[in-house]
Amino acid sequence: MTELSPILMRVIATAVAISYAITMPSFAEGQNKNEKPKSPPAASLIQKLRSFLGLNPPVAVGGSRSDNEKMVCLVSPWPGTPIGVSTPVLMALGPLNEMRIEKGDQVLWQQRASSTKAIEGAILWPIMPLEPGEKITLRVRPRGASGGDFASFNFQAADAKVLEENQEQVQKMGDDPSNWNKFLSQLTPQQAPIALGLLSSPQAPTSLRQSLQCNFP
């Protein structure tokens, strides 16, 4: 057998390597082609929720009717609907000076901002869980409003069956955004109260709750 020269051997090896690289797809390329998203795009779900939830009208404080700085937009719990979970997150858009939970003439809880730091973002339910059918008033004072100027929101907790069903669904979804996206995506406009109830729970993805907007004039 004729012995190949070192130069010819290097040429053959190079040709084999080039041929292999051309005919075999890379591992990374195969991963990209077969990779599936973990959850539906959040933007599409947000658009769907907005389409059947609508934009939330803000509420004026005191006697104000036109000044946006004297209006409050509450997104959790959602005004005008029963509270669908027993420990809803409290969230108004914009900086606040004060928030209260009242029942009748009794103040059950209140939080006040300092002179340098406003109340902003979500507040976990600060008192005992709501009972089925329980009525409360949430009073909110935005930054810049005088001490007696509040926006008031009257709420009633849903009945026991709804609270139980929503709690079971929350436990199934946990804190995994993909589970929330999947469940909420299949809801119909007629099931808007379910979506609103679930989105006020502490386990709901922050990005979804924050996506609920207000219709300021």
Side-chain angles (χ1 to χ4, degrees):
M1 183 176 179
T2 305
E3 184 176 351
L4 300 176
S5 69
I7 295 176
L8 183 56
M9 291 178 64
R10 284 198 296 272
V11 171
I12 295 173
T14 301
V16 170
I18 294 173
S19 175
Y20 182 82
I22 292 174
T23 57
M24 295 296 292
S26 70
F27 178 69
E29 183 183 34
Q31 278 188 317
N32 291 338
K33 287 182 178 179
N34 296 326
E35 189 177 71
K36 296 181 179 179
K38 294 182 180 179
S39 60
S44 63
L45 176 57
I46 289 170
Q47 290 172 356
K48 177 176 180 177
L49 289 175
R50 286 179 182 172
S51 71
F52 63 79
L53 297 182
L55 293 177
N56 191 2
V59 173
V61 302
S64 174
R65 293 293 176 184
S66 59
D67 186 353
N68 284 0
E69 293 183 356
K70 300 295 179 64
M71 304 185 81
V72 175
C73 174
L74 187 70
V75 295
S76 180
W78 189 269
T81 62
I83 299 179
V85 293
S86 58
T87 56
V89 166
L90 306 178
M91 184 174 175
L93 299 185
L96 307 177
N97 264 347
E98 187 174 356
M99 182 177 284
R100 296 181 184 177
I101 299 175
E102 300 180 357
K103 187 173 183 180
D105 296 330
Q106 183 182 7
V107 177
L108 303 181
W109 170 87
Q110 69 182 132
Q111 181 175 337
R112 290 175 177 160
S114 69
S115 59
T116 58
K117 186 176 181 181
I119 301 169
E120 295 187 271
I123 300 174
L124 294 180
W125 186 249
I127 59 176
M128 293 293 290
L130 291 167
E131 296 290 336
E134 185 174 359
K135 296 180 180 180
I136 62 162
T137 298
L138 188 62
R139 287 165 57 83
V140 183
R141 181 163 59 95
R143 202 72 163 171
S146 63
D149 285 344
F150 288 86
S152 296
F153 303 87
N154 296 316
F155 289 103
Q156 182 171 355
D159 62 37
K161 180 180 179 181
V162 171
L163 293 178
E164 182 179 356
E165 290 176 347
N166 285 349
Q167 182 58 34
E168 289 177 355
Q169 186 59 47
V170 167
Q171 290 177 346
K172 289 179 183 178
M173 296 184 292
D175 57 1
D176 186 345
S178 63
N179 291 339
W180 283 82
N181 290 348
K182 183 178 180 181
F183 180 80
L184 293 176
S185 293
Q186 53 87 36
L187 295 180
T188 66
Q190 291 73 27
Q191 295 172 303
I194 297 176
L196 292 171
L198 295 177
L199 288 172
S200 67
S201 70
Q203 291 83 2
T206 302
S207 60
L208 289 179
R209 183 162 45 236
Q210 290 177 337
S211 72
L212 303 177
Q213 297 297 314
C214 292
N215 185 23
F216 282 102

PDB file of all heavy atoms in Angstrom, residues 120-132:
ATOM      1  N   GLU A 120     -47.134  54.050  46.423  1.00  0.00           N
ATOM      2  CA  GLU A 120     -47.184  53.655  45.017  1.00  0.00           C
ATOM      3  C   GLU A 120     -47.110  52.140  44.897  1.00  0.00           C
ATOM      4  O   GLU A 120     -46.507  51.466  45.727  1.00  0.00           O
ATOM      5  CB  GLU A 120     -46.044  54.292  44.224  1.00  0.00           C
ATOM      6  CG  GLU A 120     -46.126  55.802  44.131  1.00  0.00           C
ATOM      7  CD  GLU A 120     -45.083  56.392  43.212  1.00  0.00           C
ATOM      8  OE1 GLU A 120     -43.979  56.684  43.702  1.00  0.00           O
ATOM      9  OE2 GLU A 120     -45.371  56.550  42.007  1.00  0.00           O
ATOM     10  N   GLY A 121     -47.714  51.629  43.831  1.00  0.00           N
ATOM     11  CA  GLY A 121     -47.651  50.199  43.564  1.00  0.00           C
ATOM     12  C   GLY A 121     -48.709  49.405  44.314  1.00  0.00           C
ATOM     13  O   GLY A 121     -49.647  49.959  44.891  1.00  0.00           O
ATOM     14  N   ALA A 122     -48.533  48.092  44.292  1.00  0.00           N
ATOM     15  CA  ALA A 122     -49.517  47.187  44.885  1.00  0.00           C
ATOM     16  C   ALA A 122     -49.326  47.069  46.392  1.00  0.00           C
ATOM     17  O   ALA A 122     -48.202  47.087  46.895  1.00  0.00           O
ATOM     18  CB  ALA A 122     -49.403  45.816  44.230  1.00  0.00           C
ATOM     19  N   ILE A 123     -50.448  46.935  47.095  1.00  0.00           N
ATOM     20  CA  ILE A 123     -50.446  46.720  48.543  1.00  0.00           C
ATOM     21  C   ILE A 123     -51.167  45.408  48.824  1.00  0.00           C
ATOM     22  O   ILE A 123     -52.316  45.218  48.406  1.00  0.00           O
ATOM     23  CB  ILE A 123     -51.165  47.868  49.277  1.00  0.00           C
ATOM     24  CG1 ILE A 123     -50.466  49.204  48.991  1.00  0.00           C
ATOM     25  CG2 ILE A 123     -51.210  47.595  50.778  1.00  0.00           C
ATOM     26  CD1 ILE A 123     -51.199  50.392  49.565  1.00  0.00           C
ATOM     27  N   LEU A 124     -50.489  44.502  49.501  1.00  0.00           N
ATOM     28  CA  LEU A 124     -51.129  43.238  49.853  1.00  0.00           C
ATOM     29  C   LEU A 124     -52.262  43.489  50.843  1.00  0.00           C
ATOM     30  O   LEU A 124     -52.178  44.399  51.683  1.00  0.00           O
ATOM     31  CB  LEU A 124     -50.101  42.273  50.456  1.00  0.00           C
ATOM     32  CG  LEU A 124     -48.990  41.795  49.509  1.00  0.00           C
ATOM     33  CD1 LEU A 124     -48.043  40.850  50.245  1.00  0.00           C
ATOM     34  CD2 LEU A 124     -49.567  41.111  48.282  1.00  0.00           C
ATOM     35  N   TRP A 125     -53.308  42.695  50.744  1.00  0.00           N
ATOM     36  CA  TRP A 125     -54.483  42.868  51.603  1.00  0.00           C
ATOM     37  C   TRP A 125     -54.028  42.914  53.059  1.00  0.00           C
ATOM     38  O   TRP A 125     -53.424  41.961  53.576  1.00  0.00           O
ATOM     39  CB  TRP A 125     -55.455  41.726  51.380  1.00  0.00           C
ATOM     40  CG  TRP A 125     -56.754  41.872  52.110  1.00  0.00           C
ATOM     41  CD1 TRP A 125     -57.185  41.118  53.159  1.00  0.00           C
ATOM     42  CD2 TRP A 125     -57.794  42.825  51.841  1.00  0.00           C
ATOM     43  NE1 TRP A 125     -58.445  41.535  53.574  1.00  0.00           N
ATOM     44  CE2 TRP A 125     -58.834  42.590  52.773  1.00  0.00           C
ATOM     45  CE3 TRP A 125     -57.937  43.855  50.912  1.00  0.00           C
ATOM     46  CZ2 TRP A 125     -59.996  43.338  52.797  1.00  0.00           C
ATOM     47  CZ3 TRP A 125     -59.108  44.605  50.932  1.00  0.00           C
ATOM     48  CH2 TRP A 125     -60.117  44.347  51.877  1.00  0.00           C
ATOM     49  N   PRO A 126     -54.318  44.007  53.778  1.00  0.00           N
ATOM     50  CA  PRO A 126     -53.702  44.219  55.090  1.00  0.00           C
ATOM     51  C   PRO A 126     -54.514  43.766  56.296  1.00  0.00           C
ATOM     52  O   PRO A 126     -54.052  43.896  57.429  1.00  0.00           O
ATOM     53  CB  PRO A 126     -53.528  45.737  55.110  1.00  0.00           C
ATOM     54  CG  PRO A 126     -54.706  46.239  54.326  1.00  0.00           C
ATOM     55  CD  PRO A 126     -54.980  45.213  53.264  1.00  0.00           C
ATOM     56  N   ILE A 127     -55.728  43.267  56.084  1.00  0.00           N
ATOM     57  CA  ILE A 127     -56.574  42.883  57.215  1.00  0.00           C
ATOM     58  C   ILE A 127     -57.068  41.452  57.028  1.00  0.00           C
ATOM     59  O   ILE A 127     -56.611  40.744  56.127  1.00  0.00           O
ATOM     60  CB  ILE A 127     -57.756  43.859  57.381  1.00  0.00           C
ATOM     61  CG1 ILE A 127     -58.607  43.893  56.112  1.00  0.00           C
ATOM     62  CG2 ILE A 127     -57.254  45.258  57.740  1.00  0.00           C
ATOM     63  CD1 ILE A 127     -59.855  44.772  56.220  1.00  0.00           C
ATOM     64  N   MET A 128     -58.002  41.034  57.878  1.00  0.00           N
ATOM     65  CA  MET A 128     -58.535  39.679  57.785  1.00  0.00           C
ATOM     66  C   MET A 128     -59.201  39.455  56.424  1.00  0.00           C
ATOM     67  O   MET A 128     -59.754  40.388  55.836  1.00  0.00           O
ATOM     68  CB  MET A 128     -59.559  39.445  58.901  1.00  0.00           C
ATOM     69  CG  MET A 128     -58.958  39.438  60.291  1.00  0.00           C
ATOM     70  SD  MET A 128     -57.857  38.025  60.553  1.00  0.00           S
ATOM     71  CE  MET A 128     -59.078  36.693  60.588  1.00  0.00           C
ATOM     72  N   PRO A 129     -59.156  38.216  55.897  1.00  0.00           N
ATOM     73  CA  PRO A 129     -59.801  37.930  54.611  1.00  0.00           C
ATOM     74  C   PRO A 129     -61.279  38.306  54.624  1.00  0.00           C
ATOM     75  O   PRO A 129     -61.951  38.230  55.649  1.00  0.00           O
ATOM     76  CB  PRO A 129     -59.610  36.418  54.454  1.00  0.00           C
ATOM     77  CG  PRO A 129     -58.413  36.103  55.276  1.00  0.00           C
ATOM     78  CD  PRO A 129     -58.454  37.042  56.446  1.00  0.00           C
ATOM     79  N   LEU A 130     -61.763  38.717  53.469  1.00  0.00           N
ATOM     80  CA  LEU A 130     -63.158  39.081  53.331  1.00  0.00           C
ATOM     81  C   LEU A 130     -64.061  37.862  53.475  1.00  0.00           C
ATOM     82  O   LEU A 130     -63.732  36.768  52.997  1.00  0.00           O
ATOM     83  CB  LEU A 130     -63.403  39.731  51.975  1.00  0.00           C
ATOM     84  CG  LEU A 130     -62.789  41.114  51.754  1.00  0.00           C
ATOM     85  CD1 LEU A 130     -62.856  41.479  50.275  1.00  0.00           C
ATOM     86  CD2 LEU A 130     -63.517  42.158  52.601  1.00  0.00           C
ATOM     87  N   GLU A 131     -65.203  38.064  54.085  1.00  0.00           N
ATOM     88  CA  GLU A 131     -66.222  37.030  54.159  1.00  0.00           C
ATOM     89  C   GLU A 131     -67.113  37.116  52.917  1.00  0.00           C
ATOM     90  O   GLU A 131     -67.232  38.189  52.311  1.00  0.00           O
ATOM     91  CB  GLU A 131     -67.075  37.210  55.420  1.00  0.00           C
ATOM     92  CG  GLU A 131     -66.315  37.040  56.721  1.00  0.00           C
ATOM     93  CD  GLU A 131     -65.909  35.597  56.960  1.00  0.00           C
ATOM     94  OE1 GLU A 131     -66.559  34.696  56.399  1.00  0.00           O
ATOM     95  OE2 GLU A 131     -64.926  35.383  57.700  1.00  0.00           O
ATOM     96  N   PRO A 132     -67.740  36.012  52.495  1.00  0.00           N
ATOM     97  CA  PRO A 132     -68.658  36.073  51.344  1.00  0.00           C
ATOM     98  C   PRO A 132     -69.733  37.135  51.538  1.00  0.00           C
ATOM     99  O   PRO A 132     -70.368  37.205  52.599  1.00  0.00           O
ATOM    100  CB  PRO A 132     -69.256  34.665  51.306  1.00  0.00           C
ATOM    101  CG  PRO A 132     -68.233  33.798  51.966  1.00  0.00           C
ATOM    102  CD  PRO A 132     -67.611  34.652  53.034  1.00  0.00           C
TER     103      PRO A 132
END
